Structures are given as C-alpha cells and as structure tokens.
Amino acid sequence: MNDDPKKILVVDDEAQITRVIQRGLESAGYQVRTANDGRSGLESFRAWVPDLVITDLSMPGYNGLELCERIRQLSEVPILVLSVRDDEPTKVRALDLGADDYVPKPFGMAELTARIRALLRRSAPPLQTDSGFEVGDFKIDPDQRLVSVRGRQVHLTPKEFDLMRFLLANRGKVLTHKTILSAVWGSNSAEQPEYLRVFVGALRKKLEENPRAPRYLKTEPWIGYRFDPE
Amino acid sequence: MYRMPSLPRRLHYLAALVALAALVAVAHALRNQLNQTAIALAFVLLVILVAVRAGRGPAIFAAIVAGLSFNFFFIGPLYSLRIHRSEDLVAFVVFVVAAVLVGHLSSRLELRVMETEELQRSEQLKTALLDAVTHDLRTPLTSIKAAITTLRSGSVAEPVQRELEEVIDQEADRLNHFIQGMMDLARLEAGELSLQSRSVTADEIMEDALSRAEGLLLNHPVESSVDPGLPRLSADPRLISQVLFTVIENAAKYSPAGTPIFVSASRNGAGSVCFSIADEGPGIAPEMRDEVFRKFVRAGERPGFGVGLAIARGIVEAHRGKIWIESGNGGRGTRVQFSIPAGDAA
C-alpha cells in the first residue's frame, strides 16, 4: 500500500467530519483530499482522478445524489456513500444512481477502511485462467456456463447462471433489487423483488453451506443484496 | 383536539335556519314537479350538510326544524302541523328519526376525520423533529467515533493524535451545547429562563462565541471587529454568547465553503450594543425574515432542528433587546443583527 498509496476523495459539508476521516485514512496509508460540497467534489474528482470517492448525501447546493450521478457519467470509480439518517429510500436512490456501498453515520474507522478495501479489491481485475476466471472461492467458465465453489461444481439453470455472473461482476457492491432485476431480467421486471427473492433462495441452496446463514450472498435489509466471493 | 369552523356557534344555528328556509322556498315553488320522497331526501341532504359543516347540535336542530317544515308545507293537510293519514304520520316520524340519526352520524364522522388529520399532522411534525434531532446528535457523534477509532488503531503520529483529541473535545462541547439549547427552549416556553446577569463586555462575548465556533468555521474566513469605547452590558454572558454562536453556526451552515463571514459589535443609538453577523449565502426572502424566528421553521433545505433562532429570540427578548434579519453586504446574503441594552438594563 505504501509503495502506491491509493487516492481517496472525501466529500462532506461537515468540516470536522472530513478532517477526522482525512486524518484516519492518511494514518491507514491512503492519500486523501477533501471537498465541502458536491460541486467542488466534482471539480476535485476531475482534476485529481481518485481511486475511490466517499461522499455524504445531504449537502448544500448540489448534494451527494447528484455527485454520484455526475461521477458515474465520467467514471466507474467506486463510490461509498455516508448517510446520517436511516433513510432507506435515499440509500436506494444513491445506489441506483451509481453508488457502490453505504456506511451509516456514526461509524468506526475500522469499518470504513474495511469497506474501502473491499471496494478497491473489486476494482482489481479477476484472475484469468484457461477455462474462465477465478474470484475468491468461485471459478466461472462463461463459455461452458459452469460455476464451481471451492472446487465443488454447481449446476445452475440459465437464469441462475446469468444472476451469478452479474453478482460476480459486481462483487462487494451493494446491489438494489431494481439494479439486479433490470440487469438480469430487463427493465420491465424492475419492480418485482419477490421474483428475485425466489432466485436468490435457489442460488443460496446451491452455493452456500448453510443457506439460512449465507456467507457469500448476503441480504442488505430493505435495499437488496451484496455478493462477497471470499 | 379538534377545531370547528371559525363561525360562532349561534351563527351555525342561524345559518342552518336560513338554508332550510331557502330549501322550503325552492321545494314549495317546485312542489308540483317533485314528489314527497324527493323533497324529503333534499331535506335529509341538507341535514347531512349542516352536520358536516357545523356539528351535532345544529344538525339535530336542523333535523327537527326540517321535520316540522316538511310536515307543515308538504304533508296534508297543508299549512298545518296536524297529520291526518296514518301513513303520513309514519313517514313524518321516519323522516325525523332518520334526519336526526344521519345528522348525528355525519357529525361524528366529520369529527373523526378532523381528529385523524390532526393526528397525522402531529405525526409528521414528530417525524421531522426526530430526523432533525438525529442529524444534530449524530453529526458530532460521527466525528467523535471516527476520531476515537482512529486513535485506537494505534498507527497515528503525535500531531495527528493531538488534532483528533481536539476534535473530540470540540464535538463533545457541541453536543453539550445542543442539549443546553433544548433545555433553554424548554425553560423559555415554561417562562422559567432565569438570567444570570453580570457586567460583561462585547469583546468577551465575541471571543467566547468565536472560539466555540472554531470547528464550524474551518471553511470560512472570519472578519470580526468590535468598535472601541462600547458601553458594558449587564447580561447573561452564556446566553448572549449562545445567541451569537447560533447565528454564526447558521451563517457557516448556509453559505458556500470559502465565502467570508463578518461578525461585528457596534454602538446602536444611545444605550445599546448591536451585534451583526453577515454571510454571502443564498439570503432569506423578505417574507421569511420574521417566520424563521418561529419554532421548527427553517428557511433552507439543510437538515436541522429549526429552533436555534427561536431560542435566540427568546434570549434576546428576555434581555429586553431586539433581533432581526436584513440583506447582507451589498444586498447579497443574510445579515442577522441583535441589540442588547447597555448598562444595568437587564
């Protein structure tokens, strides 16, 4: 990490919060710049091209949601959203607009840095092998449409395979019901989370050792799912 | 709990009577085109309207008068209260009972609707307050928690350690001031705010408020000035400093990062000192400049409790001072001013 410190942009209108996050992340070996509103956040993003963006949602003028949207038009950089309220609709909107994960305030630095590491890992390319690629405990062969978990081959239906491939491509990220449904089933199905629940249940039975306490395919209450292949 | 329409009660009875008279006139004019049932239904409809608009008493009154009018004008023998045919008697009794019942039920329904609306409004207010309290408490808690967990990770250089400790200290004070503000508000509302007045200078108050606001002013250059030779104030220093702090906090919160905030104290006429805080934010529309001093009213879209200025006004008025809002320098932004009488006026 010290050879090539990753660059993180922190955007929050609360000066004390950006100050503490900056010091905390610098101590953890990251390079940090801060901005106090969406507009200057976007300017810094353009000028500095960070590896990850952390942004608050409610800011004066041009808020975190707009910032997510603008950044997504420019780049696939991981975006982590900080939210002060337990406001599920706002989180879902942020995630639908392109945020990758969220951390509710107040948070411990250990949790924040763990989420940052997970997001930065995701942006690293998967390991290519002769018969497809490997990510964590999973091996996937797109041509043969085969998946194996820790060496055990799993038989998936075509739709389950599509869902699996989408989850692997977006590992570590919080995915809203709507995002998954539109990507795998098309935008007409975006409002049918119960449909997705059936497929997730089936996939868990095949992938997880204990489908009731899933290790890989986790539920984010009221929001959607997160797939962690390790 | 519920609110009736604003007419006085006696006028409700009068209005019901006038409406009934009008209905009798119309129905009487059209009596050859209308059968008895249609006329009876029109009366029942009127009773329902009275019940919904004016409540139970006027509705029952209207039902009885409607029954008598119906009998007098439309049941034979006409223009007398006597009823000859037994079926007309049954019709009359059924009409009066139905009208009274319907009036009674509709007025109860209307009460329920009003109670439900009232409940919804208070629920909405509660949710908004809870959101705001959550924000005002969680923001400093976030800084504190992030700072402590960084310190505990053990990989922190000495100067950073000191800086984080300072943040914890300032943010703990901010939480405490928030709670103090809530208590001041409760005392103001109960009329129990007691002033711990002593002789104090404008300088002391400025210094205290600005040093407390230091953490909030990291993104704003501050230009402060105190005119020389200002008279001393007899005031509660903690409360006046709280007023100044609240207004500075608002200026920092609502104006864009990097824009300056001007804080000054000057002589205001003969016997008072005027504090003035100007920012270069979006400003407050003239029609909102009184409103924002009311509890739970906020001019901007920023999260917050909406009581800061209400408390500020309470404190200033308890000192027999005044607080008001103007446009900022050159007509841009906001300037909040408050004056406190000099000497032993408090």
Side-chain angles (χ1 to χ4, degrees), chain A residues 103-118:
Chain A
V103 176
K105 290 178 180 178
F107 49 82
M109 276 317 261
E111 185 186 357
L112 186 68
T113 49
R115 298 289 183 95
I116 290 172
R117 281 197 302 276

Side-chain angles (χ1 to χ4, degrees), chain B:
Chain B
M1 187 69 185
Y2 56 87
R3 215 165 20 89
M4 281 297 182
S6 50
L7 283 176
R9 283 206 81 76
R10 254 180 300 167
L11 280 183
H12 284 147
Y13 288 92
L14 189 63
L17 210 55
V18 170
L20 273 170
L23 181 61
V24 166
V26 171
H28 195 256
L30 298 174
R31 65 188 180 281
N32 295 328
Q33 282 97 57
L34 298 173
N35 64 23
Q36 258 189 5
T37 317
I39 295 170
L41 283 175
F43 275 107
V44 172
L45 185 66
L46 187 72
V47 172
I48 294 177
L49 284 176
V50 172
V52 169
R53 296 285 307 172
R56 204 171 70 140
I60 290 174
F61 167 74
I64 292 167
V65 177
L68 294 174
S69 321
F70 184 53
N71 174 11
F72 191 82
F73 291 102
F74 304 103
I75 296 181
L78 296 181
Y79 315 119
S80 106
L81 287 176
R82 280 173 301 130
I83 297 172
H84 282 172
R85 292 191 303 167
S86 56
E87 63 207 70
D88 283 345
L89 185 65
V90 172
F92 171 73
V93 172
V94 167
F95 172 82
V96 172
V97 172
V100 168
L101 269 180
V102 163
H104 176 66
L105 287 178
S106 327
S107 69
R108 274 184 40 181
L109 191 69
E110 178 63 9
L111 274 189
R112 281 288 140 76
V113 170
M114 282 199 279
E115 279 173 11
T116 314
E117 280 171 359
E118 187 73 26
L119 212 61
Q120 272 171 351
R121 265 197 300 277
S122 88
E123 279 301 310
Q124 278 168 358
L125 184 63
K126 232 191 297 182
T127 312
L129 286 185
L130 203 61
D131 267 3
V133 173
T134 306
H135 179 271
D136 283 0
L137 292 177
R138 275 198 182 146
T139 299
L141 273 179
T142 301
S143 306
I144 292 174
K145 174 129 182 152
I148 287 188
T149 48
T150 303
L151 286 171
R152 289 181 62 180
S153 73
S155 58
V156 184
E158 175 97 22
V160 174
Q161 186 181 330
R162 271 199 304 278
E163 186 181 350
L164 293 178
E165 284 165 358
E166 191 187 302
V167 169
I168 294 169
D169 189 34
Q170 287 170 348
E171 295 296 283
D173 283 346
R174 190 166 155 196
L175 278 176
N176 193 35
H177 285 304
F178 175 73
I179 294 162
Q180 186 67 53
M182 292 293 99
M183 288 171 65
D184 287 343
L185 181 68
R187 292 208 182 103
L188 274 169
E189 299 224 305
E192 286 169 2
L193 185 77
S194 63
L195 303 182
Q196 314 278 321
S197 292
R198 64 175 174 81
S199 175
V200 61
T201 65
D203 265 310
E204 289 171 71
I205 286 168
M206 288 271 269
E207 207 180 301
D208 183 66
L210 284 171
S211 73
R212 272 174 50 199
E214 206 181 351
L216 307 170
L217 294 170
L218 293 173
N219 301 320
H220 296 274
V222 177
E223 286 180 31
S224 66
S225 66
V226 178
D227 282 0
L230 288 181
R232 293 180 77 85
L233 304 169
S234 167
D236 184 323
R238 179 183 76 76
L239 292 176
I240 298 299
S241 164
Q242 179 62 35
V243 174
L244 191 55
F245 174 84
T246 301
V247 180
I248 293 173
E249 187 183 29
N250 282 345
K253 189 155 121 182
Y254 288 101
S255 60
T259 56
I261 293 172
F262 305 89
V263 188
S264 66
S266 56
R267 188 183 284 272
N268 184 30
S272 67
V273 171
C274 181
F275 293 86
S276 160
I277 303 89
D279 65 45
E280 295 186 355
I284 297 176
E287 65 274 16
M288 285 298 290
R289 288 178 189 171
D290 274 332
E291 286 288 294
V292 291
F293 289 106
R294 285 180 36 215
K295 216 171 35 163
F296 311 135
V297 172
R298 292 183 294 116
E301 53 177 29
R302 311 284 302 115
F305 203 38
V307 294
L309 286 178
I311 299 173
R313 182 168 70 178
I315 294 173
V316 170
E317 286 176 354
H319 283 83
R320 289 193 248 151
K322 266 180 66 186
I323 182 165
W324 68 97
I325 294 176
E326 298 173 351
S327 298
N329 300 337
R332 285 187 306 139
T334 306
R335 180 200 307 280
V336 180
Q337 302 200 79
F338 62 94
S339 64
I340 301 293
D344 45 23

